[in-house]
Amino acid sequence: MKKECGIITVALATGLIANAAGKKKANPEPHPDQPNVIIIYADDLGYGDLECYGAKNVNTPNVNRLASNGIRFTNGHAVASTSTPSRYSLLTGEYAWRKPNTDIAAGNAGMIIRPEQYTIADMFKSAGYKTGAFGKWHLGLGDKDGQQDWNAQLPAHLGDLGFDYSYIMAATADRVPCVFIENGKVANWDPSAPIEVSYVKNFPGEPTGRDNPELLYNLKPSHGHDMSIVNGISRIGYMKGGGNALWKDENIADSITAHAIDFIKENKNEPFFMYFATNDVHVPRFPHDRFRGKNKMGLRGDAIDQFDWTVGQLISTLEKENLLDNTLIILSSDNGPVVDDGYEDQAEELLNGHSPTGDLRGGKYSAFEGGTRIPVIVHWPKEIKEGQESDALISQIDWLASLASLVNARIPKGGATDSYDKLSTLLGKDKNDREWVVEQANNHTLSLRTKDWKLIEGSDGPAMIQWGPKIETGYKGHIQLYDVSTPGEKEDVAAQHPQKVLELEETLRKVKENNYKLK
Ligand code: NG6
Ligand code: CA
């Protein structure tokens, strides 16, 4: 069931704009000059993984071009150091830690954002935009965990969240089901191979990575990822069937890019919003053979190069359609980088001096900066001067409200409550720092980050990730304070600055209780 009340409220709130005579009239039509908006959201791409952020061993000319013709942000933050909570927060404007069951989702999780919740797609739709989502979803589908019938239309999907069109992977490439879902149905569904999925037990007679390593002709796991085998790669979870609908990892980037290009072409005459979430550079890294084996860092480097190619395809489509000038592109990542995240892809051995986090400490999963400080590039030739750099403190939590301000959408009461309008900073009109940003680590430790300081809550987690990746978590049994005016979080200075600790602790407490509003 679609959110009837929500729609009426949004339509009333946003459909009224002043006409030339100053009278209010209902106007669902977008303004003819409204820009298209594309969020290009990479997966696990680190602060140091792009040439324009200092990386040496990769080829990212297309991303570099966006940066040099737009704004490169050096103090941009994702909301969490893993995918599901980060994406939840970006898409709803609500911190994931306020809501249970927003941790890394299984491939058969029920839809985490519920239909009645307000989303960034609802916001754009209310302003007359066509909305599309492509690539990695990882926020569940269907009404209940594990109850999906993958052979029929799913009862709850992105169409219920404001997306007119979607072509997505249910979770991640390392989680079953390994099929694309188009508008809530398995794309290219194969009646001869009905799909079954379980995260509890295997289906009789189906091979697994654990029992049949001889079938792993593309990639072997280094930790975990030893359940069902699809395309010679074992995954997390069990699945049966799929037949022609099963993806080939080497074609994932091509496939989501082709669908996104079609969406751009089909909607070139009206403003559109596109959430374009790549599978790159998440594991299993198995890019197309145009890229595979080409980068000296091996598959992780190949995946970064493939990500850049994808960006180039979108840019050249926009150029051909004469849309580039009035399209706002925001390029970023869902969380910080990880090197070995569970497959023998030699990412560790072949780094060749490359530092995925740049000079930040920690990485994906962690409470340190490497977990959440990510590249952010904003490009909009019509409105943004080229060659800018901004060190303003910004967070992805604010993108919903900022973009609402851009397209004159009014957010209904109770929607996107943690998101603030920071549009002028995002468009480079000022360099005002957010007063603070809140960040969530894998074990739910929260940090409060200001321009100069970072407070990390106490927690009893281990100092290092325990299951494989060699990453410092940033967890300690007591509060830590770092001076982040220089990178690296080298020394905990909580003892030297008790007043600062108290002040930041108090702010974080109020944010948690939801009674601290930004100025
Ligand atoms: C972990 C997976 C890791 C990755 C991560 C989610 C294992 C051993 N590790 O549990 O490979 O899938 O979840 O990554 O299973 S994220 O970027 O989508 O948050
Ligand atoms: Ca991720």
Side-chain angles (χ1 to χ4, degrees), residues 393-443:
L393 178 64
I394 58 168
S395 167
Q396 292 174 1
I397 194 74
D398 292 329
W399 292 358
L400 196 160
S402 304
L403 295 171
S405 156
L406 175 76
V407 303
N408 287 316
R410 294 194 207 151
I411 297 172
K413 198 171 172 197
T417 47
D418 293 309
S419 188
Y420 284 82
D421 175 6
K422 300 284 177 190
L423 183 65
S424 56
T425 317
L426 201 59
L427 299 184
K429 297 197 166 43
D430 65 51
K431 290 189 177 172
N432 296 342
D433 296 306
R434 203 185 205 269
E435 203 184 331
W436 40 261
V437 304
V438 183
E439 298 164 330
Q440 171 186 344
N442 190 45
N443 79 343

Side-chain angles (χ1 to χ4, degrees), residues 2-17 25-29 115-129 131 160-162 400 404 407-416:
K2 190 52 191 152
K3 40 188 116 171
E4 285 171 1
C5 304
I7 277 185
I8 291 163
T9 326
V10 175
L12 286 175
T14 59
L16 298 174
I17 62 162
K25 70 166 192 176
N27 188 0
E29 294 295 316
E116 62 278 8
Q117 247 178 300
Y118 190 68
T119 70
I120 198 164
D122 288 326
M123 183 278 284
F124 276 108
K125 222 167 137 69
S126 77
Y129 277 62
T131 53
D160 301 306
L161 301 178
L400 196 160
V407 303
N408 287 316
R410 294 194 207 151
I411 297 172
K413 198 171 172 197

Side-chain angles (χ1 to χ4, degrees), residues 1 46 74 127 157 163 192 205 222 257 267 271 386 391 420 424 470 482 510 516:
M1 287 296 103
T74 56
H157 60 91
F163 286 104
S192 71
S222 59
T257 305
N267 295 294
E386 61 181 20
D391 65 352
Y420 284 82
S424 56
K470 297 188 190 77
Y482 292 93
K510 286 185 182 162
Y516 192 113

Side-chain angles (χ1 to χ4, degrees), residues 276-324:
F276 183 81
T278 66
N279 167 52
D280 292 318
V281 299
H282 197 277
V283 296
R285 303 174 185 121
F286 200 72
H288 194 272
D289 62 15
R290 300 193 304 277
F291 303 96
R292 218 162 59 239
K294 306 283 190 297
N295 187 296
K296 69 172 178 187
M297 292 197 296
L299 290 164
R300 189 171 186 280
D302 297 335
I304 296 174
D305 293 350
Q306 178 169 266
F307 170 73
D308 183 78
W309 168 85
T310 306
V311 173
Q313 293 297 299
L314 298 186
I315 297 176
S316 63
T317 305
L318 293 167
E319 250 173 347
K320 273 189 222 131
E321 301 296 342
N322 216 3
L323 297 173
L324 189 62

